[in-house]
Amino acid sequence: MSLRLGEQSVSVVETPLMRELKKRVESGVSVLVTGPHGVGKSVLVYSTAYLALEGGAVVIDLASDTSTFAEYIRLAKKAKTALAVFDAVPPQFYAEPEVWSEHAALWRDSCSKITNRADYVRRSGYPVILVLPTDLTVRCRKELAQYEKIVVRPEAETAQEIFLRNSEVFCGEDYAKEVAKLAAKWGEGTYYMAYHVARSLQYCDEDPVSLVEEARATYVERLSTLAQAFYAPTCRKARAFVHTLNSKNLPPVLASQAVHHDLVEAKVRTLERLMALIDKVSGPHREYVKILALQASEDLKRIMRPRWYVKALLRKADPLYGEALGKAADEAVKKCGLRLGEIRLRTLVKAYVIAYEASDDLAKAIAAVATGENPCIGKMRALCRRGALQEEVLDAVLNPQRLSIELPPSAAEGLERYAGLRAEDVGERGWIEVLNFLYESSERGRVDLRPFRDYVDMALRLGGSITKKLALATVQNASVVPGELLAQALVTAIEIGESYEYLLDRYVEVVGDASLIYERCGAGCGEVVVTAAVASAAKAAGEAPCRAIRQLEIALAGAGYGDVVEKYSPHKACLKPI
């Protein structure tokens, strides 16, 4: 069988799926045909439609304009039988991707229009065939659930047959098998690549690896055109599109919010101002502000819902489609003058906490991190992957301060209560209580001081003698201690005359840079600065000689020769290119 697509004739390989689709349509069943890009979905459906046309049927185009659609229905009523077809990425796309990407945009913008038409056709007694790549099936998912599904998966044998039937040069089955094997390894685009190689082959001594690579590059270019037109049709959407690609490693719930980051951030700022006003006004004005804050919270919750196209991007893991998305992002950056920037995760996590009223769960999660337990608690579980918070999200929660500080403190006791309060707001009594919790936890297991670094830092710097000693003991026992806390602990130990040898060894191992101590204490901590700097220099000498020289400079400065170091700065000469 041969189809005419554009200006080229394609010899079609009849597959079991073709017979299966034909049987279902003839029995009046409506079908969703889906699968990766470039694996023969459209050819499968158009072949079935052509066979129906030859049998006297009318094929209704669901993407036609209103008057043409009405004419299709009129003809269908007079015909022996009829069926309706919508293909989001038809075969013509591969010849003219810029033009036929608009066809896919119809599904993006009006999938309900297509499904409503399809429902009308089905009620009239005619079957419907919808053809969608896997990444587009998340749109109008509820309506699509009414269709029987046929999933098209590429097979090397079919790719081999496509190559043999469409090549004007016969090079034997071994050559065809090699081409099919190379094309099939990508999973998607297999049949397109086999056909492309068949049409471009001129001599049998051409390297099949080079031919398939050329076909792959052509296929990716066409896919990137589709991705750019589909996901980033305007500069505003392009910004969201680029941000989404930059945040694909985030939990889906955060990545979906990243698409609308600017809008989310504005809503968060509005809600923060309203919540701050509640405590500053009184009488009926306060109730009015509460109502506004409630409305803002509901509005934020509404825009925080995951968007279908974000799900599509995140669900798609095929390497060629990923490459195409990257190319589309690069083009969007050039076209719209965008800069690739990191999503401000802290704003997104804060927005999530506010919108979903997760402040209590956030406080519990922060306390769990501090005591070495799993922070995936309650509503915070949605931000986890495989039962754990990613480092990027964890940093957004913990730095530079806890996200729940703008929210009413939790009614819980212990660390969960203090997770919602700034250290400067609770005074020394609060510092001692937090340190007691952390110290007792460190006696039982692993403790991470990052969530309560402000409490430990203030206790080390501003607390009384007992508070400082408790803070030093907590730092010594903790499993995870930020470098700046280790530096401050060393300075505090020197000030109150406590032993610091263990802290110094740990500082050199964890931080390996004496500048943090020197910045806090200067030559007043000379012995510690010299020891830490020389040890750090020895550690860095093999791999980073310039850093080792810088550490020796700090050692000299700690010994009282800071003016000499400032005058000559040997490490600067080391960093100059030769």
Side-chain angles (χ1 to χ4, degrees), residues 26 51-59 73-83 124-127:
E26 286 177 349
L51 289 172
L53 281 171
E54 289 177 359
V58 169
V59 178
I73 297 298
R74 189 181 67 79
L75 292 172
K77 289 178 180 177
K78 292 182 177 181
K80 179 180 175 182
T81 184
L83 70 149
S124 300
Y126 311 123

Side-chain angles (χ1 to χ4, degrees), residues 181-256:
K181 177 184 174 184
L182 291 167
K185 75 174 184 178
W186 296 104
E188 61 175 323
T190 302
Y191 299 168
Y192 170 84
M193 284 186 267
Y195 177 76
H196 187 281
V197 173
R199 288 298 184 179
S200 60
L201 183 66
Q202 294 181 358
Y203 307 102
C204 291
D205 60 353
E206 292 184 71
D207 182 12
V209 174
S210 301
L211 289 171
V212 172
E213 178 56 31
E214 180 187 336
R216 186 202 68 81
T218 305
Y219 169 71
V220 169
E221 285 297 329
R222 278 154 176 70
L223 266 190
S224 62
T225 302
L226 173 68
Q228 186 183 355
F230 195 80
Y231 293 108
T234 66
C235 284
R236 182 180 176 187
K237 284 191 177 181
R239 182 175 290 105
F241 171 62
V242 171
H243 278 185
T244 304
L245 290 179
N246 281 351
S247 55
K248 283 180 75 173
N249 289 327
L250 300 179
V253 69
L254 279 186
S256 66

Side-chain angles (χ1 to χ4, degrees), residues 132-170:
L132 298 170
T134 309
D135 54 301
L136 303 192
T137 56
V138 294
R139 188 72 168 133
C140 284
R141 188 168 45 184
K142 183 179 178 181
E143 292 85 344
L144 292 178
Q146 304 171 28
Y147 293 78
E148 290 191 12
K149 184 187 289 187
I150 288 181
V151 179
V152 182
R153 295 184 176 88
E155 296 178 354
E157 294 79 7
T158 304
Q160 180 179 337
E161 189 67 21
I162 288 172
F163 174 80
L164 287 169
R165 288 199 184 188
N166 290 281
S167 177
E168 295 178 2
V169 182
F170 180 73

Side-chain angles (χ1 to χ4, degrees), residues 42-112:
S42 298
V43 172
L44 166 69
V45 171
Y46 277 80
S47 301
T48 304
Y50 280 1
L51 289 172
L53 281 171
E54 289 177 359
V58 169
V59 178
I60 302 167
D61 180 7
L62 292 177
S64 57
D65 59 62
T66 305
S67 59
T68 306
F69 178 73
E71 182 64 15
Y72 273 128
I73 297 298
R74 189 181 67 79
L75 292 172
K77 289 178 180 177
K78 292 182 177 181
K80 179 180 175 182
T81 184
L83 70 149
V85 174
F86 174 77
D87 187 355
V89 188
Q92 297 92 326
F93 163 78
Y94 293 102
E96 299 176 297
E98 291 82 5
V99 176
W100 289 93
S101 290
E102 293 301 316
H103 209 66
L106 179 63
W107 179 258
R108 175 196 66 207
D109 298 330
S110 307
C111 70
S112 58

